[in-house]
């Protein structure tokens, strides 16, 4: 087995955002050498890696040459040049998650078809190669209102997703390839993170429950464990296992699920990396998701996924009406609350709904944590100076 | 209140060893700008700070100019130029812990006298300005065997401490100032970490129990909570409060204690910084000691010091007979054990008894954690390649 610890072994990470930054806490803990590629010289990961390279993640040559120079290559964002990953793999480079996993995920149309082919429960959908075809389907009544429109590529943090209730709402949609999903009324949005290493070891985190901000379509609270019946949790874990088995991924796979009114579990979408729904694990779990991802991609034994205590995560997003140099108003007050840990991603500029950080609230009693989480939410504000 | 988060505020840290490295996880988490001074260009803290300066921590000019350039100055090692800190303070710079706290601690003779003056229970002692005076006291029978010899300055990790049982053992002792303490038979070595911020808020961590390696005189296991009666724990916390009150320190104070055969609590020594006996807190506590130190020196509200689960820390020290490029033998095996987290400090060279890292074992059941800790200890070896 390769010696990763305090050695010349180098892990390459495509993307230097907050997920990369939190992954670097773990590489530092294990003293694993890292090299990060990100387009921004102010990327949150810039200062805790061993080597930082500024460059375009979508550029073939940049990604290829970056990958040539490292021992294992991973990514913290799906928007990377997949052809470069394929070429690296064909030359024997270890790329985890693999280009194949990413191919099945990066395009939402492909992802949905993947679920159909693998008999994984997901909402009914149609794929359109452009807006012209979408309009055509509406005219022919192959597609009826309401439906959920999703851009096939580039969606992130609630961007690229809209609920379309009438013809008017179709007008501002972009031109590109998209999917239209049946709007399913659901009780809960759930998520399960599953880790898999190249040796085939698999571990699953507890089911978490996500509460969304009604306007921004961004996760507002993530609760672990989810406040659901054990049989629903069981079903969610079973579906997740099936998804994991189908993808044969290496590293984390975050599986977002709907619990329908009839307690059916449907897969919404997946992300092959540490995920916002797993941030609670830094404070609440025996092994946090970033350490688990690292263990998985390095083919180390996976850690215990149980929780030590109940955990709730609150996203810190930029307040509406504020753009400019960030100020975390009342952060001192929330630091005085029980079991509260803010994570500040290090973005110097705020703008409405930008993910600037998150706060974790841990408590033996989840309902107590929930109360504190609301206090946190009410107290802290991400504004401009 | 100053805005520390994602701002130009800069925390200066004297020393870039493993304690500094772990403190930097917290400054990264809060996105607080840091500048580190260390004599070694390969210091573990080098890469996760915003600015690194190579320089002598004992040199007045170096420390003074480094301090001028930061907003708050702290240290992760006691061996720093104290006159420079005094000058900085006289010019209005915030230095936490203060030079006064450090003055009372840096020299073990001064520290012991401080306890006497403040009626803090400690073992009987004599202070000698040099070895000549020590010999004189032995000749005059003012000092009788056995006793514990401690160098007044420069002691660290069991260096500068010897149990002296006869005249023969006196011969190899160094020439410098020293203290001789009465050898007290004790049941347990305990430690309590207490945090205090400039506003006077004080929090105390649970009592931990330290097990020492019989030869190297280094801590081998730290258990939290200590397996002691509640009334003894109560007494330990009361003594710690008295010590904290006497020092009026800002930041952490790690108080090492003896539990005598008669269940008396005596203060052994203190350290005004994050401490080896508090490493368990990263995985086991609601607020880890590094975050707490940061909260304290920045006058932020202090965090909850309770444990989520039982925690045991095993030091990873270089194996005897091994000097050279480090190899963490069987680290993969220990990663497969329940609730086990290795911390690798990033020192590239090992030598016998050098502190190279530590491993934390957490479990709801402390006795289960203790069993796993022994397995860890038996399995992993810090050797040279």
């Amino acid at each position: 087995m390769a010696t990763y610890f305090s050695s010349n072994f180098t892990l390459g990470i495509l993307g230097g955002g907050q997920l990369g930054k939190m992954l670097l806490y773990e590489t530092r803990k294990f003293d694993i050498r890292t090299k990060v590629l990100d387009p921004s010289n102010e990327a949150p990961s810039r200062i805790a890696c061993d080597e930082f390279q500024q460059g375009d993640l979508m550029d073939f040559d940049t990604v290829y040459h970056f990958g040539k120079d490292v021992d294992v290559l991973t990514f913290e964002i799906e928007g990377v040049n997949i052809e470069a990953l394929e070429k690296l793999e064909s030359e024997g480079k270890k790329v985890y998650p693999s280009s194949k996993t990413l191919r099945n995920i990066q395009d939402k149309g492909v992802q949905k078809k993947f679920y159909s082919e693998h008999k994984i429960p997901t909402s009914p959908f149609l794929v359109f190669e452009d807006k012209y075809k979408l309009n055509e389907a509406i005219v022919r009544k192959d597609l009826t209102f309401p439906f959920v429109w999703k851009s096939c590529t580039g969606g992130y943090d609630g961007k690229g997703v809209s609920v379309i209730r009438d013809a008017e709402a179709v007008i501002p949609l972009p031109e590109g390839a998209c999917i239209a999903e049946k709007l399913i009324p659901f009780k809960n949005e759930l998520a399960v993170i599953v880790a898999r290493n190249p040796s085939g070891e698999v571990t699953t985190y507890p089911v978490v429950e996500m509460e969304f901000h009604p306007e921004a379509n961004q996760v507002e609270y993530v609760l672990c464990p989810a406040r659901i019946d054990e049989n629903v949790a069981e079903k969610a874990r079973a579906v997740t296992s099936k998804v994991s088995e189908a993808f044969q991924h290496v590293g984390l796979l975050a599986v977002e699920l709907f619990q329908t009114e009839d307690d059916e579990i449907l897969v919404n979408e997946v992300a092959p990396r540490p995920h916002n729904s797993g941030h609670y694990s830094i404070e609440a779990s025996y092994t946090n998701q970033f350490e688990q991802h690292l263990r998985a991609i390095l083919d180390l034994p996976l850690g215990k996924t149980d929780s030590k205590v109940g955990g709730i995560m609150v996203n810190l997003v930029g307040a509406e009406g504020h753009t400019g140099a960030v100020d975390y108003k009342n952060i001192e007050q929330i630091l005085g609350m029980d079991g509260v840990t803010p994570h500040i991603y290090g973005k110097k500029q705020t703008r409405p709904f930008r993910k600037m950080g998150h706060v974790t609230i841990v408590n033996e009693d989840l309902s107590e944590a929930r109360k504190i989480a609301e206090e946190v939410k009410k107290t802290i504000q991400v504004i401009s100076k």
Side-chain angles (χ1 to χ4, degrees), chain A:
Chain A
M1 182 171 286
T3 305
Y4 304 119
F5 311 91
S6 295
S7 77
N8 289 324
F9 169 90
T10 302
L11 174 67
I13 307 169
L14 297 171
Q18 63 264 21
L19 299 174
K21 180 189 170 188
M22 290 185 273
L23 184 60
L24 292 181
Y25 299 159
E26 308 309 315
T27 58
R28 295 291 298 130
K29 188 167 82 181
F30 289 170
D31 196 41
I32 292 170
R33 212 177 167 279
T34 51
K35 197 175 162 182
V36 169
L37 179 70
D38 194 89
S40 165
N41 231 344
E42 294 194 333
S45 290
R46 189 179 54 82
I47 71 165
C49 58
D50 291 81
E51 224 180 306
F52 179 80
Q53 186 184 323
Q54 189 176 10
D56 184 353
L57 297 168
M58 292 306 286
D59 180 65
F60 179 89
D61 284 341
T62 304
V63 172
Y64 174 71
H65 290 295
F66 179 86
K68 283 299 270 184
D69 200 34
V70 301
D71 296 294
V72 169
L73 184 62
T74 190
F75 49 84
E76 58 106 52
I77 185 167
E78 287 97 316
V80 300
N81 188 292
I82 215 165
E83 290 76 19
L85 302 188
E86 283 165 345
K87 180 148 171 67
L88 288 163
E89 283 169 340
S90 74
E91 292 169 7
K93 187 68 68 185
K94 286 177 179 168
V95 179
Y96 296 132
S98 70
S99 64
K100 199 178 156 206
T101 300
L102 195 53
R103 273 267 179 240
N104 285 322
I105 289 168
Q106 210 181 40
D107 180 300
K108 282 184 184 168
V110 176
Q111 192 182 142
K112 287 290 273 190
K113 285 178 193 162
F114 181 86
Y115 299 140
S116 295
E117 282 157 21
H118 288 83
K119 311 222 182 316
I120 289 162
T122 193
S123 57
F125 66 98
L126 293 167
V127 182
F128 301 102
E129 64 191 51
D130 56 26
K131 195 170 167 184
Y132 182 87
K133 297 276 186 189
L134 175 77
N135 278 323
E136 214 171 45
I138 295 170
V139 171
R140 288 181 183 165
K141 298 207 192 303
D142 291 344
L143 178 63
T144 54
F145 302 110
F147 63 86
V148 181
W149 172 91
K150 288 182 181 174
S151 170
C152 279
T153 54
Y156 198 69
D157 283 355
K159 291 179 206 92
V161 179
S162 293
V163 177
I164 306 298
R165 299 192 183 274
D166 51 39
E168 190 112 347
V170 179
I171 297 163
L173 290 177
E175 297 296 322
C178 64
I179 58 173
E181 291 182 353
K182 190 174 169 188
L183 181 65
I184 306 268
F186 55 83
K187 275 187 201 166
N188 275 310
E189 292 209 33
L190 307 173
V192 182
I193 291 175
V194 55
R196 194 173 165 281
N197 69 17
S199 301
E201 193 190 355
V202 175
T203 59
T204 304
Y205 279 84
V207 183
V208 302
E209 177 189 341
M210 293 146 89
E211 280 186 46
F212 277 69
H213 186 284
E215 287 149 51
N217 197 26
Q218 283 189 326
V219 179
E220 197 170 26
Y221 298 107
V222 174
L223 297 93
C224 181
R227 297 160 298 183
I228 52 173
D229 286 351
E230 184 44 39
N231 63 327
V232 175
E234 197 61 62
K235 211 185 274 184
R237 282 193 295 265
V239 169
T240 300
S241 293
K242 196 167 175 183
V243 173
S244 177
E245 184 64 29
F247 276 109
Q248 292 285 309
H249 61 102
V250 167
L252 296 190
L253 194 72
V255 183
E256 295 183 36
L257 304 162
F258 295 122
Q259 177 191 357
T260 68
E261 299 287 354
D262 308 327
D263 287 344
E264 244 196 300
I265 296 292
L266 302 178
V267 174
N268 177 19
E269 58 182 55
V270 302
R273 52 167 171 77
H275 192 252
N276 193 262
S277 68
H279 289 348
Y280 79 91
S281 66
I282 298 176
E283 283 80 16
S285 305
Y286 277 91
T287 310
N288 76 57
Q289 65 165 345
F290 299 97
E291 181 180 331
Q292 194 78 318
H293 186 64
L294 193 58
R295 286 174 179 240
I297 62 177
L298 299 181
D299 205 12
L300 294 166
L302 301 179
K304 184 170 161 176
T305 55
D306 296 352
S307 291
K308 300 167 191 169
V309 283
I312 298 185
M313 195 272 311
V314 179
N315 277 317
L316 288 181
V317 300
E320 289 185 84
H322 287 267
T323 298
V326 66
D327 183 23
Y328 296 90
K329 203 183 157 194
N330 298 330
I331 190 166
E332 294 84 1
Q333 276 90 312
I334 71 160
L335 282 165
M337 298 177 189
D338 224 32
V340 168
T341 306
H343 290 254
I344 306 298
Y345 296 157
K347 302 170 187 174
K348 307 301 177 205
Q349 300 289 314
T350 185
R351 52 174 187 261
F353 302 117
R354 187 176 193 197
K355 271 189 193 163
M356 300 298 289
H358 74 263
V359 180
T360 310
I361 301 95
V362 287
N363 202 293
E364 275 186 43
D365 178 353
L366 190 70
S367 63
E368 186 56 33
R370 186 65 180 77
K371 281 181 212 152
I372 297 166
E374 259 188 58
E375 276 305 305
V376 166
K377 189 84 199 164
K378 267 190 243 165
T379 306
I380 192 166
Q381 270 192 299
V382 184
I383 59 173
S384 53
K385 274 173 191 159

